[in-house]
Amino acid sequence: MRGEKTERPASRADIEVRFLRDWGFELPDSIFRFWEFLSSLAPAEHQALRDLDVSPAGIIDLFADTGLQPRQGIDVRVHGRYYRDPPEFLTFMHGGSDGLHHGLWFDDGRTCRGVASYYNNDGGGIDTTSGTPLEALRAILERCWRDLDDDVQDEEVSARRSRLSLLRDALTVVETGDRPEVGIAYSTAYDTITPAVDFARITTLDGAGALVAGETALDRPAHGQADEYKFATYMYALFQDPAALQACVEEARRRCSAGAPAEALVLGRDLHWASGGDPARETLANELLVMAYRALNRPSLAEMAGAHHRHRSLPRVDVLEKT
């Protein structure tokens, strides 16, 4: 062991049982590698994480203690859940300023597709570039390394570089060891890639796409094919027109009742992302999402959507406490 642990972690089996029971999701091997990596770090490497403004969060709290329970009256599934998080998003790490956070992405309602991230307090959509939690951490590390190139090279910067080097060395033993690039070279090669068009998913306002097949009312293109600015401009204008929006919702309901849930899913995701504190949009988003997920046989996502809707006004995202 390279560093001392402050707590004895729960067994993998206990963690898997808890998540399958309460969330209905199968956790990937990659999140256990992430937890084991964090648990092995020496003090200098932990300081490097603090230098990055990175910390484990959300579901990782249960890895240290699977017995944690939510405060009375609050659904455990909203722990670590930010206002705009789609039901598919399960937070495991805070990643820096402006509310950047990362989550496992479960868009089939059971298994993890990869890692998603976005800035909760800033603009921009959801990034699904990283495949694993450690890959996401490596990307953050190299962005910081790149930014240090622009700083005055003094003793403090040198010390930060030294700690980041130690963290990189430890990380690349576990993952991304086949990527020798650092700093801007790493970001250019792996972190700023334009995602390929994904024909299994349909364009959504949040930028992540929805895993669903079928026609939509706007004949939306596959994920990655849309002009994002034009699409967002159109959708936000639509949401400001109550009559037009109601007509769209009714069409989504009609299609879903007829066995075609694509429109309900994409419109529900759009309304969820753009709710902006509007109770009417929140209610419509929840209705459409629950309807679509049930039609697609994704009951865990339907339950997640309902739990989030009930608790979207919580003042903070941490809801677990020791019993």
Side-chain angles (χ1 to χ4, degrees):
M1 184 180 298
R2 304 176 64 249
E4 293 187 359
K5 302 175 186 178
T6 57
E7 297 184 38
R8 181 169 178 253
S11 73
R12 174 167 177 164
D14 289 342
I15 295 167
E16 289 176 328
V17 167
R18 176 81 190 266
F19 276 88
L20 194 57
R21 183 190 72 210
D22 288 352
W23 278 264
F25 295 152
E26 297 174 352
L27 292 175
D29 289 341
S30 62
I31 194 66
F32 290 98
R33 287 196 300 275
F34 178 72
W35 169 248
E36 290 164 4
F37 171 76
L38 294 180
S39 300
S40 74
L41 295 180
E45 294 150 1
H46 276 295
Q47 182 57 52
L49 287 179
R50 290 190 287 272
D51 292 342
L52 294 173
D53 198 18
V54 164
S55 60
I59 64 170
I60 292 296
D61 293 338
L62 285 158
F63 280 52
D65 183 354
T66 55
L68 291 174
Q69 297 296 327
R71 299 192 302 276
Q72 186 172 3
I74 300 178
D75 194 299
V76 67
R77 288 167 293 194
V78 303
H79 179 63
R81 178 159 293 277
Y82 287 76
Y83 181 81
R84 290 193 298 166
D85 288 359
E88 293 85 350
F89 192 108
L90 209 61
T91 299
F92 66 84
M93 179 172 72
H94 291 154
S97 62
D98 295 320
L100 175 61
H101 61 297
H102 293 71
L104 300 178
W105 187 255
F106 291 88
D107 62 355
D108 71 355
R110 190 172 181 90
T111 57
C112 180
R113 171 193 174 196
V115 170
S117 63
Y118 74 95
Y119 293 87
N120 189 64
N121 304 330
D122 203 354
I126 296 174
D127 179 2
T128 56
T129 303
S130 295
T132 70
L134 286 176
E135 187 180 336
L137 179 57
R138 176 79 190 274
I140 295 171
L141 187 158
E142 300 302 349
R143 284 178 220 147
C144 181
W145 189 272
R146 175 194 65 199
D147 293 342
L148 288 176
D149 288 337
D150 297 328
D151 291 344
V152 175
Q153 301 302 301
D154 56 16
E155 289 186 7
E156 180 180 351
V157 170
S158 178
R160 290 191 67 182
R161 281 191 183 277
S162 178
R163 292 190 294 268
L164 289 177
S165 291
L166 291 172
L167 183 63
R168 182 194 289 122
D169 289 345
L171 196 162
T172 53
V173 168
V174 185
E175 281 191 28
T176 69
D178 58 342
R179 301 178 178 185
E181 300 88 349
V182 300
I184 191 169
Y186 183 96
S187 297
T188 301
Y190 308 108
D191 193 28
T192 57
I193 301 171
T194 301
V197 174
D198 186 347
F199 291 100
R201 292 168 175 81
I202 296 176
T203 291
T204 52
L205 193 57
D206 58 28
L211 179 63
V212 66
E215 297 181 354
T216 60
L218 295 178
D219 194 23
R220 299 185 190 212
H223 174 56
Q225 279 191 323
D227 181 320
E228 293 182 0
Y229 177 78
K230 286 184 178 180
F231 178 65
T233 299
Y234 176 85
M235 293 306 298
Y236 279 105
L238 172 66
F239 294 159
Q240 296 300 320
D241 185 336
L245 175 58
Q246 188 61 38
C248 291
V249 170
E250 290 175 2
E251 175 64 9
R253 290 173 180 149
R254 183 191 68 77
R255 289 179 180 231
C256 196
S257 296
E263 180 64 19
L265 179 57
V266 296
L267 185 58
R269 282 271 297 278
D270 291 349
L271 283 164
H272 180 87
W273 184 254
S275 289
D278 183 335
R281 290 188 204 172
E282 293 174 356
T283 299
L284 290 173
N286 180 64
E287 176 196 346
L288 293 178
L289 287 174
V290 170
M291 178 187 300
Y293 292 137
R294 295 206 180 283
L296 290 163
N297 194 27
R298 300 173 190 170
S300 295
L301 290 178
E303 294 296 324
M304 180 74 82
H308 194 182
H309 178 63
R310 293 191 298 274
H311 297 299
R312 283 190 89 175
S313 62
L314 286 177
R316 57 191 178 93
V317 300
D318 295 325
V319 304
L320 294 179
E321 59 186 8
K322 289 186 178 293
T323 56

